Structure formats: C-alpha cells, structure tokens
Amino acid sequence: MDDSDEALMARVARGDERAFRELARRYVPIMLGVARRILGNAAEAEDVVQEAMLRVWTHAPRWQPLALFRTWLSRVVVNLCLDRKRKAPWVELEAAGEIADPAPLAGESAEAAKRERLLAAAIADLPDRQRAAIVLSYTEGMSNAQVAEILNTTVSAVETLLVRGKQNLRRALATVIDGDKKNE
C-alpha cells in the first residue's frame, strides 16, 4: 500500500480515518512548531493547527496534488496564523517572577534563554510576511522556492522578505548586541 502523503490524502477523501490519523501523526508536531513561532503563543498555535487539520479532513475530496501535501498544509497554517495576527493581537500576561535556578551554569543558561526570548520577541514584531518567511526558511529549513509557494509569491520576493526581515531583526536587536559587547 502506498503511504505517500498524496496517497493518504486520496484515502482521506474517501473517508479513511486511519489515513487521516497518519497524516496528523506526521504533520501536527511540525505545524505546531511553525504556528507557535509565527504566533508566539502555544494555545493559539494549537487552535490554528486544529483548524488546519479540520480543513484537511473537510477539503480532502477537493484537494488536488498540484503541490506537495506538506507545502499545501504549510500554506494553510501560515495563512491561518497571518489571519489570526491581523484580527486580534495576543497580549502576554505579566510574569509572576522568576525562580532562581540552583543548577550550575544557571547564569549562562539564563542568559541564553534571555537571548532566545529577545530574538523570539523581535521575530514576533516583524511584519507578517517577513515573519513567515524567516520562520519557514530559517527555523523550518525550507528552500526559498518552497517558501515562495507557501506564501504564494516569487522566489525573488521571498529573498527580499528575508533580507528585510534580517535587517529589521538587526535593528531591533542592535541595542542588545551593543549592550553585550560593552559588558564583555
């Protein structure tokens, strides 16, 4: 039996729940990562991925294998994330405070965690399409051609989004980088 994504989608189109579960097993963790990095919120990411998988189930009879299933699903997830970002911004609750880590090298891991938080916040502040291009390209390791297909644009437009996104990240993180250099 053919277990390719496309074959599984053909089976899902016929109502095969086992094929649907296999696609979900393969792609839900990956899509959760994409959505979490675009939205910056795990709960919202889960909602988006659940909506995307619902669309897999309901749109399976109309799905045409013009692109790889992963590319199509990634486009659905990215579009749902961008729609959600446009509608209502998510606001973080104030942190209750940090608990000191008694482990050795806690200071170093705290600094690394701080840098990761700052980078994640800077990525979250990027314009939607720049953020999506940065996440898909650098975090998910997709090629510019794949990102272009997901964002429904050209490869050169993706390259421009990536250049502008990196420039915006450098500007946003410049004070942090300059501050670290002064502390050395």
PDB file of all heavy atoms in Angstrom, residues 119-139:
ATOM      1  N   LEU A 119      15.099  37.339  20.816  1.00  0.00           N
ATOM      2  CA  LEU A 119      15.010  37.021  19.393  1.00  0.00           C
ATOM      3  C   LEU A 119      13.574  36.668  19.019  1.00  0.00           C
ATOM      4  O   LEU A 119      13.050  37.141  18.005  1.00  0.00           O
ATOM      5  CB  LEU A 119      15.957  35.874  19.028  1.00  0.00           C
ATOM      6  CG  LEU A 119      15.913  35.421  17.561  1.00  0.00           C
ATOM      7  CD1 LEU A 119      16.257  36.565  16.628  1.00  0.00           C
ATOM      8  CD2 LEU A 119      16.845  34.243  17.343  1.00  0.00           C
ATOM      9  N   ALA A 120      12.926  35.848  19.837  1.00  0.00           N
ATOM     10  CA  ALA A 120      11.529  35.468  19.565  1.00  0.00           C
ATOM     11  C   ALA A 120      10.633  36.706  19.558  1.00  0.00           C
ATOM     12  O   ALA A 120       9.751  36.838  18.696  1.00  0.00           O
ATOM     13  CB  ALA A 120      11.035  34.460  20.597  1.00  0.00           C
ATOM     14  N   ALA A 121      10.871  37.622  20.486  1.00  0.00           N
ATOM     15  CA  ALA A 121      10.067  38.849  20.530  1.00  0.00           C
ATOM     16  C   ALA A 121      10.331  39.708  19.299  1.00  0.00           C
ATOM     17  O   ALA A 121       9.405  40.287  18.725  1.00  0.00           O
ATOM     18  CB  ALA A 121      10.373  39.634  21.803  1.00  0.00           C
ATOM     19  N   ALA A 122      11.606  39.788  18.878  1.00  0.00           N
ATOM     20  CA  ALA A 122      11.940  40.574  17.686  1.00  0.00           C
ATOM     21  C   ALA A 122      11.305  39.957  16.439  1.00  0.00           C
ATOM     22  O   ALA A 122      10.786  40.670  15.578  1.00  0.00           O
ATOM     23  CB  ALA A 122      13.455  40.676  17.527  1.00  0.00           C
ATOM     24  N   ILE A 123      11.318  38.633  16.347  1.00  0.00           N
ATOM     25  CA  ILE A 123      10.679  37.955  15.216  1.00  0.00           C
ATOM     26  C   ILE A 123       9.174  38.201  15.251  1.00  0.00           C
ATOM     27  O   ILE A 123       8.556  38.471  14.226  1.00  0.00           O
ATOM     28  CB  ILE A 123      11.008  36.449  15.210  1.00  0.00           C
ATOM     29  CG1 ILE A 123      12.482  36.240  14.856  1.00  0.00           C
ATOM     30  CG2 ILE A 123      10.115  35.683  14.240  1.00  0.00           C
ATOM     31  CD1 ILE A 123      12.985  34.821  15.024  1.00  0.00           C
ATOM     32  N   ALA A 124       8.580  38.154  16.440  1.00  0.00           N
ATOM     33  CA  ALA A 124       7.137  38.375  16.574  1.00  0.00           C
ATOM     34  C   ALA A 124       6.747  39.784  16.153  1.00  0.00           C
ATOM     35  O   ALA A 124       5.619  40.001  15.688  1.00  0.00           O
ATOM     36  CB  ALA A 124       6.698  38.121  18.013  1.00  0.00           C
ATOM     37  N   ASP A 125       7.661  40.757  16.277  1.00  0.00           N
ATOM     38  CA  ASP A 125       7.367  42.138  15.908  1.00  0.00           C
ATOM     39  C   ASP A 125       7.570  42.418  14.421  1.00  0.00           C
ATOM     40  O   ASP A 125       7.232  43.509  13.952  1.00  0.00           O
ATOM     41  CB  ASP A 125       8.235  43.103  16.726  1.00  0.00           C
ATOM     42  CG  ASP A 125       7.779  43.194  18.170  1.00  0.00           C
ATOM     43  OD1 ASP A 125       6.621  42.821  18.462  1.00  0.00           O
ATOM     44  OD2 ASP A 125       8.590  43.626  19.015  1.00  0.00           O
ATOM     45  N   LEU A 126       8.120  41.465  13.681  1.00  0.00           N
ATOM     46  CA  LEU A 126       8.309  41.673  12.247  1.00  0.00           C
ATOM     47  C   LEU A 126       6.953  41.759  11.544  1.00  0.00           C
ATOM     48  O   LEU A 126       5.970  41.178  12.013  1.00  0.00           O
ATOM     49  CB  LEU A 126       9.097  40.503  11.637  1.00  0.00           C
ATOM     50  CG  LEU A 126      10.571  40.393  11.975  1.00  0.00           C
ATOM     51  CD1 LEU A 126      11.135  39.087  11.418  1.00  0.00           C
ATOM     52  CD2 LEU A 126      11.346  41.579  11.435  1.00  0.00           C
ATOM     53  N   PRO A 127       6.910  42.430  10.404  1.00  0.00           N
ATOM     54  CA  PRO A 127       5.680  42.375   9.601  1.00  0.00           C
ATOM     55  C   PRO A 127       5.341  40.914   9.274  1.00  0.00           C
ATOM     56  O   PRO A 127       6.238  40.063   9.155  1.00  0.00           O
ATOM     57  CB  PRO A 127       6.049  43.161   8.340  1.00  0.00           C
ATOM     58  CG  PRO A 127       7.139  44.096   8.787  1.00  0.00           C
ATOM     59  CD  PRO A 127       7.915  43.322   9.827  1.00  0.00           C
ATOM     60  N   ASP A 128       4.064  40.626   9.121  1.00  0.00           N
ATOM     61  CA  ASP A 128       3.576  39.247   8.988  1.00  0.00           C
ATOM     62  C   ASP A 128       4.328  38.418   7.953  1.00  0.00           C
ATOM     63  O   ASP A 128       4.771  37.306   8.230  1.00  0.00           O
ATOM     64  CB  ASP A 128       2.078  39.245   8.648  1.00  0.00           C
ATOM     65  CG  ASP A 128       1.232  39.769   9.788  1.00  0.00           C
ATOM     66  OD1 ASP A 128       1.716  39.793  10.938  1.00  0.00           O
ATOM     67  OD2 ASP A 128       0.074  40.148   9.527  1.00  0.00           O
ATOM     68  N   ARG A 129       4.454  38.931   6.741  1.00  0.00           N
ATOM     69  CA  ARG A 129       5.072  38.133   5.682  1.00  0.00           C
ATOM     70  C   ARG A 129       6.583  37.947   5.916  1.00  0.00           C
ATOM     71  O   ARG A 129       7.124  36.894   5.605  1.00  0.00           O
ATOM     72  CB  ARG A 129       4.766  38.735   4.311  1.00  0.00           C
ATOM     73  CG  ARG A 129       3.277  38.562   3.968  1.00  0.00           C
ATOM     74  CD  ARG A 129       2.863  39.200   2.674  1.00  0.00           C
ATOM     75  NE  ARG A 129       3.493  38.637   1.497  1.00  0.00           N
ATOM     76  CZ  ARG A 129       3.143  37.514   0.879  1.00  0.00           C
ATOM     77  NH1 ARG A 129       2.150  36.802   1.350  1.00  0.00           N
ATOM     78  NH2 ARG A 129       3.769  37.102  -0.202  1.00  0.00           N
ATOM     79  N   GLN A 130       7.243  38.946   6.474  1.00  0.00           N
ATOM     80  CA  GLN A 130       8.660  38.794   6.810  1.00  0.00           C
ATOM     81  C   GLN A 130       8.817  37.725   7.882  1.00  0.00           C
ATOM     82  O   GLN A 130       9.708  36.879   7.804  1.00  0.00           O
ATOM     83  CB  GLN A 130       9.259  40.112   7.303  1.00  0.00           C
ATOM     84  CG  GLN A 130       9.470  41.147   6.221  1.00  0.00           C
ATOM     85  CD  GLN A 130      10.006  42.447   6.768  1.00  0.00           C
ATOM     86  OE1 GLN A 130      10.517  42.511   7.878  1.00  0.00           O
ATOM     87  NE2 GLN A 130       9.887  43.514   5.970  1.00  0.00           N
ATOM     88  N   ARG A 131       7.944  37.753   8.904  1.00  0.00           N
ATOM     89  CA  ARG A 131       7.999  36.773   9.978  1.00  0.00           C
ATOM     90  C   ARG A 131       7.797  35.366   9.419  1.00  0.00           C
ATOM     91  O   ARG A 131       8.543  34.440   9.749  1.00  0.00           O
ATOM     92  CB  ARG A 131       6.931  37.076  11.029  1.00  0.00           C
ATOM     93  CG  ARG A 131       6.955  36.114  12.198  1.00  0.00           C
ATOM     94  CD  ARG A 131       5.902  36.366  13.274  1.00  0.00           C
ATOM     95  NE  ARG A 131       5.409  37.708  13.371  1.00  0.00           N
ATOM     96  CZ  ARG A 131       4.241  38.120  12.834  1.00  0.00           C
ATOM     97  NH1 ARG A 131       3.473  37.274  12.189  1.00  0.00           N
ATOM     98  NH2 ARG A 131       3.850  39.363  12.969  1.00  0.00           N
ATOM     99  N   ALA A 132       6.795  35.213   8.563  1.00  0.00           N
ATOM    100  CA  ALA A 132       6.519  33.895   7.986  1.00  0.00           C
ATOM    101  C   ALA A 132       7.717  33.407   7.175  1.00  0.00           C
ATOM    102  O   ALA A 132       8.113  32.240   7.280  1.00  0.00           O
ATOM    103  CB  ALA A 132       5.263  33.942   7.129  1.00  0.00           C
ATOM    104  N   ALA A 133       8.313  34.286   6.374  1.00  0.00           N
ATOM    105  CA  ALA A 133       9.470  33.891   5.559  1.00  0.00           C
ATOM    106  C   ALA A 133      10.650  33.488   6.437  1.00  0.00           C
ATOM    107  O   ALA A 133      11.300  32.473   6.181  1.00  0.00           O
ATOM    108  CB  ALA A 133       9.864  35.035   4.618  1.00  0.00           C
ATOM    109  N   ILE A 134      10.921  34.267   7.490  1.00  0.00           N
ATOM    110  CA  ILE A 134      12.031  33.956   8.402  1.00  0.00           C
ATOM    111  C   ILE A 134      11.791  32.605   9.082  1.00  0.00           C
ATOM    112  O   ILE A 134      12.677  31.741   9.120  1.00  0.00           O
ATOM    113  CB  ILE A 134      12.193  35.073   9.469  1.00  0.00           C
ATOM    114  CG1 ILE A 134      12.665  36.374   8.840  1.00  0.00           C
ATOM    115  CG2 ILE A 134      13.091  34.627  10.621  1.00  0.00           C
ATOM    116  CD1 ILE A 134      14.122  36.471   8.503  1.00  0.00           C
ATOM    117  N   VAL A 135      10.594  32.388   9.600  1.00  0.00           N
ATOM    118  CA  VAL A 135      10.286  31.139  10.309  1.00  0.00           C
ATOM    119  C   VAL A 135      10.385  29.939   9.366  1.00  0.00           C
ATOM    120  O   VAL A 135      11.021  28.935   9.681  1.00  0.00           O
ATOM    121  CB  VAL A 135       8.886  31.210  10.966  1.00  0.00           C
ATOM    122  CG1 VAL A 135       8.426  29.839  11.429  1.00  0.00           C
ATOM    123  CG2 VAL A 135       8.901  32.183  12.135  1.00  0.00           C
ATOM    124  N   LEU A 136       9.748  30.042   8.203  1.00  0.00           N
ATOM    125  CA  LEU A 136       9.750  28.909   7.274  1.00  0.00           C
ATOM    126  C   LEU A 136      11.153  28.615   6.751  1.00  0.00           C
ATOM    127  O   LEU A 136      11.541  27.454   6.634  1.00  0.00           O
ATOM    128  CB  LEU A 136       8.790  29.173   6.116  1.00  0.00           C
ATOM    129  CG  LEU A 136       7.316  29.222   6.492  1.00  0.00           C
ATOM    130  CD1 LEU A 136       6.484  29.694   5.306  1.00  0.00           C
ATOM    131  CD2 LEU A 136       6.823  27.874   6.982  1.00  0.00           C
ATOM    132  N   SER A 137      11.918  29.653   6.465  1.00  0.00           N
ATOM    133  CA  SER A 137      13.237  29.460   5.887  1.00  0.00           C
ATOM    134  C   SER A 137      14.268  29.021   6.925  1.00  0.00           C
ATOM    135  O   SER A 137      14.931  28.002   6.748  1.00  0.00           O
ATOM    136  CB  SER A 137      13.692  30.756   5.216  1.00  0.00           C
ATOM    137  OG  SER A 137      14.937  30.582   4.607  1.00  0.00           O
ATOM    138  N   TYR A 138      14.395  29.778   8.000  1.00  0.00           N
ATOM    139  CA  TYR A 138      15.483  29.520   8.947  1.00  0.00           C
ATOM    140  C   TYR A 138      15.125  28.518  10.037  1.00  0.00           C
ATOM    141  O   TYR A 138      15.973  27.749  10.459  1.00  0.00           O
ATOM    142  CB  TYR A 138      15.971  30.828   9.563  1.00  0.00           C
ATOM    143  CG  TYR A 138      16.581  31.727   8.519  1.00  0.00           C
ATOM    144  CD1 TYR A 138      15.963  32.915   8.163  1.00  0.00           C
ATOM    145  CD2 TYR A 138      17.741  31.362   7.867  1.00  0.00           C
ATOM    146  CE1 TYR A 138      16.508  33.720   7.175  1.00  0.00           C
ATOM    147  CE2 TYR A 138      18.289  32.157   6.879  1.00  0.00           C
ATOM    148  CZ  TYR A 138      17.666  33.345   6.541  1.00  0.00           C
ATOM    149  OH  TYR A 138      18.205  34.133   5.566  1.00  0.00           O
ATOM    150  N   THR A 139      13.888  28.519  10.477  1.00  0.00           N
ATOM    151  CA  THR A 139      13.523  27.597  11.542  1.00  0.00           C
ATOM    152  C   THR A 139      13.108  26.240  10.976  1.00  0.00           C
ATOM    153  O   THR A 139      13.503  25.210  11.498  1.00  0.00           O
ATOM    154  CB  THR A 139      12.381  28.185  12.391  1.00  0.00           C
ATOM    155  OG1 THR A 139      12.769  29.483  12.818  1.00  0.00           O
ATOM    156  CG2 THR A 139      12.106  27.324  13.605  1.00  0.00           C
TER     157      THR A 139
END
